[in-house]
Amino acid sequence: MAPLMSDPFVIADKTFASRLIVGTGKYPSHAVMAQAHEASGADMVTVAVRRVNISDRSTALTAGREESLLDYIDTSKIFLLPNTAGCYTADEAIRTARLGREAGLSHWVKLEVIGDERTLFPDNEQLIVATKVLVKEGFVVLPYTSDDPIVCRKLEDAGAAAVMPLGAPIGSGLGIQNVNNIRIIREFSRVPLIVDAGVGTASDAALAMELGADGVLMNTAIAGAQDPVSMAEAMKLAVRAGRLAYRAGRIPRKAYATASSPMAGMVGG
Amino acid sequence: MLNGEPFELEPGRTISQLLTQLDIDSRRVAVEHNLTVLRRSLYESTPILDGDEIEIVNFVGGGSNGIGNFEL
């Protein structure tokens, strides 16, 4: 078995050093975010596309130059992945993706079409529609989807560059709720599988990787931790540990004990 | 209309002039003009006409979360 060094993480035509992808929201400050990004080792971070606040600009300007998120992300090292968070229809998501491409000069998009405000579960029907349109326009589409193997297959058929099933509702921290579905999606999919959302702590990320995920995307688990920088490092280690364990091939589960020491030569035998 | 709100502007202004007036760094935003994303190279030559709908967006913090519904 080749060591981790020769285990590249490739999506579309890009190779990433880290299998951990992180968000940029909900941090106590931009400075803490930058430190957490560093500790996470992630070389891809996702950002939301939003209207520039016009009415608040005059106050922001008198207080000095408005602080920009991009001042805290070293884009020479970190790949920016625009997302369509908060979009509720295919049309909104498509427009947002196009704007993100123009703002970031990247034709990649983490595609989200939300179906319900309370659960933030995806609207898979709209998601597939938007994926088809954006793939035709040359986008590399990474769709956030339900942990449903059939939907994942349809997204793959629509040209998605990866599938990103949720482990649990966004921001819930519940961990992977349907382990078996993730396992089946792994078996079915020919594109990278990234578990997106639901991670609460390091063991959740390790489990995702042990199930065969190619990567994990998270935001709240790091940003919302009491110490985001330490949690970012924990997640980095968990993702690496889980990946190594997956590739190493675990022992089969058995109901009864198997001795690890030889029986021959026992004292008193 | 600018970002969904009524906005008064001197006649004959271009997208480029609007960004300057708002002190917005054009390298960090994207502009949608009447529902079509406008190429950066066209900012200077695109005049804003009465009744045009303009959206100016940038990147903000967010991950997998439904932060503030983006009304379009």
Side-chain angles (χ1 to χ4, degrees), chain A residues 24-25 46-52 54 57 61 65 68-69 71 83 85-86 88 92 95-96 98-100 102-104 110 112 120 170 196 217 219, chain B residues 2-4 7 22-24 27-32 35 37-40 55-72:
Chain A
T24 51
T46 184
V47 292
V49 178
R50 286 293 181 279
R51 283 170 168 164
V52 172
I54 303 292
R57 280 203 73 75
L61 288 167
R65 192 169 166 280
S68 164
L69 176 74
D71 292 331
N83 66 53
Y88 279 77
E92 278 177 13
R95 283 177 65 190
T96 304
R98 289 174 183 156
L99 283 163
E102 189 60 25
K110 166 167 143 62
E112 283 186 38
L120 299 179
I170 289 170
D196 177 3
L217 193 157
N219 185 33
Chain B
L2 175 60
N3 285 5
F7 191 83
L22 295 168
D23 199 18
I24 290 171
R27 289 166 302 175
R28 289 195 164 173
V29 297
V31 177
E32 197 185 70
L35 303 184
V37 176
L38 196 64
R39 283 283 159 91
R40 236 164 268 255
E55 294 280 352
I56 305 173
V57 303
N58 62 355
F59 289 139
V60 301
S64 300
N65 61 53
I67 54 167
N69 191 0
F70 185 24
E71 286 176 37
L72 288 160

Side-chain angles (χ1 to χ4, degrees), chain A residues 77-119:
Chain A
K77 289 186 201 153
I78 293 179
F79 181 73
L80 283 186
L81 178 66
N83 66 53
T84 65
C87 290
Y88 279 77
T89 65
D91 282 345
E92 278 177 13
I94 291 164
R95 283 177 65 190
T96 304
R98 289 174 183 156
L99 283 163
R101 170 162 69 178
E102 189 60 25
L105 306 171
S106 156
H107 61 296
W108 287 49
V109 64
K110 166 167 143 62
L111 187 64
E112 283 186 38
V113 185
I114 302 299
D116 172 64
E117 211 167 319
R118 212 167 144 212
T119 59

Side-chain angles (χ1 to χ4, degrees), chain A residues 9-14 16 21 44 81 108-111 127-128 131 135 139-146 151-165 185-186 189-196 213-217:
Chain A
F9 180 32
V10 180
I11 305 173
D13 56 349
K14 276 186 80 71
F16 296 93
I21 305 163
M44 172 155 49
L81 178 66
W108 287 49
V109 64
K110 166 167 143 62
L111 187 64
L127 184 68
I128 293 167
T131 299
V135 166
F139 278 89
V140 171
V141 179
L142 314 180
Y144 156 71
T145 171
S146 305
V151 172
C152 287
R153 187 159 64 191
K154 288 185 177 182
L155 288 165
E156 193 179 315
D157 290 345
V163 289
M164 305 212 293
I185 293 167
R186 164 71 295 163
S189 82
R190 291 153 293 166
V191 293
L193 159 62
I194 297 162
V195 171
D196 177 3
D214 295 286
V216 180
L217 193 157

Side-chain angles (χ1 to χ4, degrees), chain B residues 15-65:
Chain B
I15 296 288
S16 180
Q17 286 166 334
L18 171 65
L19 292 175
T20 307
Q21 181 182 329
L22 295 168
D23 199 18
I24 290 171
D25 182 347
S26 66
R27 289 166 302 175
R28 289 195 164 173
V29 297
V31 177
E32 197 185 70
H33 185 220
N34 295 331
L35 303 184
T36 305
V37 176
L38 196 64
R39 283 283 159 91
R40 236 164 268 255
S41 54
L42 297 176
Y43 290 176
E44 279 193 30
S45 59
T46 303
I48 300 166
L49 305 176
D50 203 27
D52 277 1
E53 286 189 32
I54 295 173
E55 294 280 352
I56 305 173
V57 303
N58 62 355
F59 289 139
V60 301
S64 300
N65 61 53

